[in-house]
């Protein structure tokens, strides 16, 4: 599977470092694989929220599971473990210093089955609270399945979240062709409780895995 590294991504990483006077520059993804596709026998959808701790070298130090839905939580976690970031930086009197930080990774998977008469799969479950440096979405609005699409697809997006909690920009970092526009459209409507550092709101980058499953119809008599 392709790694999430392009010339544009490298350029945007450089731009994201900000002016020397910026008090805080958030960690930003440099490269890493997209999550593996779920098995065809998985008939439910799901939501995943991960609080990912990034060390001062840009490596994933550990991952705290905030919201889980089997088997999607394991798929997203396995991919994120090998992601690499440009580390966060804080301004000090001596200059800029790389520092440990937290990054939110969210996964939203539409169920493949349009079930007539009930729901399928396990519902998402919140099991922990994230660190203050994690901007939390108010609602994980799922994407719609594009009418002309075929098969399954996984899109990884980067959302630039401002200090006010608004989605300033949404960018594709792992494309799935015809699914990209639907993923972007869904993410553009997300709003967040902003990340906080030392009792002040700060900007952040959020990474969203949008999973599309080809629809089927299931129900009594089928």
């Amino acid at each position: 599977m392709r790694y999430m590294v392009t010339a544009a991504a490298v350029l945007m990483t450089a731009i994201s470092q900000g002016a020397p006077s910026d008090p805080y520059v958030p960690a930003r993804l440099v490269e890493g694989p997209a999550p593996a596709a779920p098995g065809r026998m998985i008939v439910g959808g799901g939501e995943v929220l991960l609080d990912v701790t990034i060390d001062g070298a840009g490596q994933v130090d550990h991952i705290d599971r905030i919201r889980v839905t089997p088997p999607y939580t394991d798929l997203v976690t396995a991919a994120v473990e090998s992601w690499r970031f440009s580390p966060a930086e804080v301004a000090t009197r001596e200059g800029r210093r790389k520092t440990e930080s937290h990054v939110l990774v969210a996964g939203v998977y539409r169920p493949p089955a349009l079930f007539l008469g009930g729901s399928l799969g396990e519902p998402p479950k919140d099991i922990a609270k994230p660190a203050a440096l994690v901007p939390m979405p108010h609602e994980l609005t799922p994407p719609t399945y594009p009418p002309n699409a075929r098969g399954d697809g996984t899109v990884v997006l980067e959302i630039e979240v401002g200090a006010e909690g608004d989605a300033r920009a949404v960018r594709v970092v792992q494309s799935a062709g015809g699914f990209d526009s639907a993923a972007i459209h869904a993410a553009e409507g997300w709003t967040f409780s902003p990340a906080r550092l030392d009792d002040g709101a700060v900007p952040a980058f959020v990474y969203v895995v949008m999973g599309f499953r080809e629809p089927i119809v299931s129900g009594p008599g089928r």
Side-chain angles (χ1 to χ4, degrees), residues 30-49:
V30 173
E31 64 178 6
R40 297 297 297 171
M41 298 302 293
I42 306 302
V43 295
E47 296 179 357
V48 177
L49 291 176

Side-chain angles (χ1 to χ4, degrees), residues 81-117:
E81 285 175 340
S82 63
W83 286 10
R84 187 169 64 85
F85 293 77
S86 58
E89 295 183 359
V90 293
T92 68
R93 291 183 179 180
E94 293 75 27
R96 306 197 66 81
R97 176 175 58 84
K98 300 182 187 304
T99 185
E100 180 181 277
S101 63
H102 293 256
V103 171
L104 176 71
V105 176
V108 183
Y109 289 84
R110 290 194 61 85
L114 305 177
F115 187 63
L116 306 178

Side-chain angles (χ1 to χ4, degrees), residues 159-201:
I159 302 179
E160 183 179 350
V161 179
E164 296 77 28
D166 56 312
R168 291 182 176 177
V170 179
R171 308 178 185 93
V172 175
V173 294
Q174 177 69 53
S175 173
F179 296 100
D180 292 359
S181 293
I184 292 172
H185 180 72
E188 284 177 337
W190 288 22
T191 58
F192 299 80
S193 297
R196 303 192 68 83
L197 176 67
D198 297 332
D199 296 326

Side-chain angles (χ1 to χ4, degrees), residues 134-158:
V134 171
M136 284 295 289
H138 297 141
E139 184 177 3
L140 300 184
T141 304
T144 57
Y145 190 90
N148 297 323
R150 294 292 183 272
D152 298 344
T154 301
V155 181
V156 181
L157 303 173
E158 175 188 81

